[in-house]
Amino acid sequence: MTHTADSTSIPVGTTLSVKVPATTANLGPGFDTLGLALSLYDELEVEVREEPGIHVNVLGVGEGVVPTDETNLVARALAHVFERFGQPVPGLEIVAHNAIPHSRGLGSSGAAIVAGIMAAKGLLEGIVDIGSIELLELATELEGHPDNVAPALFGGLTIAWVGEDGPKHKKLIAHRGVSAVVFVPEAAMSTALARSLQPASVPHEDAIFNVSRSALLVAALIQSPELLLAATEDRLHQSYRASAMLETDELIRMLREHGLAAVVSGAGPSVLVLGNDPSQRLLAADLVAANSVSTWQPLMLAVDFKGATVMVHPVEGSA
């Protein structure tokens, strides 16, 4: 439920910090539905200043590349929330500490959108009460679909869907035996290009195949991780996109031949391996190092259970 109080200015000098996890979507068969939050984070430091406008200082990933003015995705998401609730955007200085690789299938755009929305939520505290339903609606409006923004917002394993009254999600807690390693290549991949390779329709038997595997995957992730290899089989999207990222496809095939649950992370080209114990991550890393001529950066990550957080630091003496 959203409640809007009388418009009041946000005190100059107010600061807040935001932390948003990376995400991996699809997880094989759960195309545009399943997502998982991972322990790799983009962080913001935000300060209200007297000068109008938004300036973003980008450090880490994207430094010197992404915009630093109001066209920055974080700034656009933040302004979108203020506009939605009829509030004037204060002058802001934002420092973005980015660790999530861009255009690699780890939800960097979703994380930026969620970071901006969470910053707006923190700044509007006491002026507008923004609940979880509104957070997901706002993020989905900007991202276009909820499969990445849901785990970024809420953490854990999420099932996301869009009903007649908007986007919805269900958060689940992954089994403690589930461990993840992501292999990140040097080359990027356009999500729009990846989506353009999808056919308008798929064979009936492939749809049935993916329904069964998606149901099995939820069970594997929350209860029976020993079933992850079978549960991550897919016929809806990975094979169609393989031509655009041949090395990703080859790596997945090799890892799966060795009994590891390897899939494309999001739209790619990173490769996600879901292990049923931590030793499988080390096995995967050894196999990639021994069998791939390309450079893949292995990221040993845990499942993030908290999702996005915001901490407000009011000006001393302010109400």
Side-chain angles (χ1 to χ4, degrees):
M1 197 70 173
T2 303
H3 170 71
T4 304
D6 292 337
S7 178
T8 56
S9 61
I10 301 167
V12 171
T14 298
T15 61
L16 57 82
S17 53
V18 176
K19 187 175 183 180
V20 183
T23 56
T24 180
N26 304 328
L27 312 181
F31 185 59
D32 277 3
T33 301
L34 297 179
L36 194 65
L38 300 173
S39 61
L40 180 67
Y41 303 93
D42 282 354
E43 300 185 48
L44 298 183
E45 298 168 9
V46 183
E47 181 176 4
V48 179
R49 60 179 187 173
E50 291 184 3
E51 298 80 6
I54 303 176
H55 177 260
V56 185
N57 182 19
V58 178
L59 304 175
V61 177
E63 184 174 351
V65 178
V66 299
T68 58
D69 58 9
E70 284 91 345
T71 63
N72 181 284
L73 186 53
V74 171
R76 284 160 43 202
L78 186 152
H80 178 73
V81 179
F82 274 77
E83 181 180 350
R84 165 63 64 85
F85 296 110
Q87 300 296 323
V89 182
L92 295 172
E93 182 69 29
I94 299 175
V95 180
H97 301 270
N98 293 343
I100 302 172
H102 288 180
S103 302
R104 300 297 196 282
L106 285 168
S108 60
S109 65
I113 288 167
V114 168
I117 289 173
M118 292 299 289
K121 173 181 169 65
L123 290 167
L124 290 169
E125 192 173 279
I127 302 170
V128 179
D129 179 22
I130 306 173
S132 60
I133 293 174
E134 288 86 3
L135 289 173
L136 184 59
E137 288 176 348
L138 289 161
T140 302
E141 285 172 6
L142 293 165
E143 176 75 345
H145 43 89
D147 57 330
N148 273 119
V149 294
L153 280 166
F154 307 115
L157 168 67
T158 58
I159 305 170
W161 70 99
V162 179
E164 292 183 359
D165 54 348
K168 305 293 180 186
H169 85 286
K170 173 64 179 176
K171 175 180 176 179
L172 301 170
I173 301 301
H175 191 282
R176 63 183 181 181
V178 174
S179 58
V181 55
V182 180
F183 295 97
V184 182
E186 295 177 344
M189 178 71 186
S190 162
T191 301
L193 172 60
R195 285 188 169 275
S196 73
L197 299 173
Q198 292 295 126
S201 60
V202 296
H204 185 256
E205 58 268 28
D206 287 353
I208 294 173
F209 182 95
N210 269 62
V211 168
S212 70
R213 296 311 189 273
S214 294
L216 181 61
L217 181 54
V218 172
L221 285 169
I222 66 175
Q223 181 177 328
S224 305
E226 71 277 4
L227 297 175
L228 280 168
L229 181 62
T232 49
E233 294 178 309
D234 162 69
R235 291 184 185 174
L236 279 192
H237 67 105
Q238 293 182 139
S239 60
Y240 298 110
R241 297 173 171 183
S243 62
M245 37 187 169
L246 293 175
E247 292 180 339
T248 295
D249 184 57
E250 291 171 2
L251 196 69
I252 289 171
R253 290 176 184 274
M254 183 273 292
L255 289 166
R256 294 189 70 86
E257 286 171 1
H258 284 84
L260 296 170
V263 296
V264 178
S265 180
S270 295
V271 173
L272 168 71
V273 176
L274 291 169
N276 58 37
D277 67 67
S279 67
Q280 288 199 330
R281 300 195 301 184
L282 300 177
L283 172 60
D286 289 342
L287 286 168
V288 172
N291 293 281
S292 179
V293 296
S294 301
T295 300
W296 297 83
Q297 179 189 8
L299 300 177
M300 305 282 181
L301 302 172
V303 176
D304 172 274
F305 294 105
K306 291 179 67 175
T309 59
V310 58
M311 182 175 294
V312 183
H313 313 286
V315 180
E316 286 189 21
S318 65

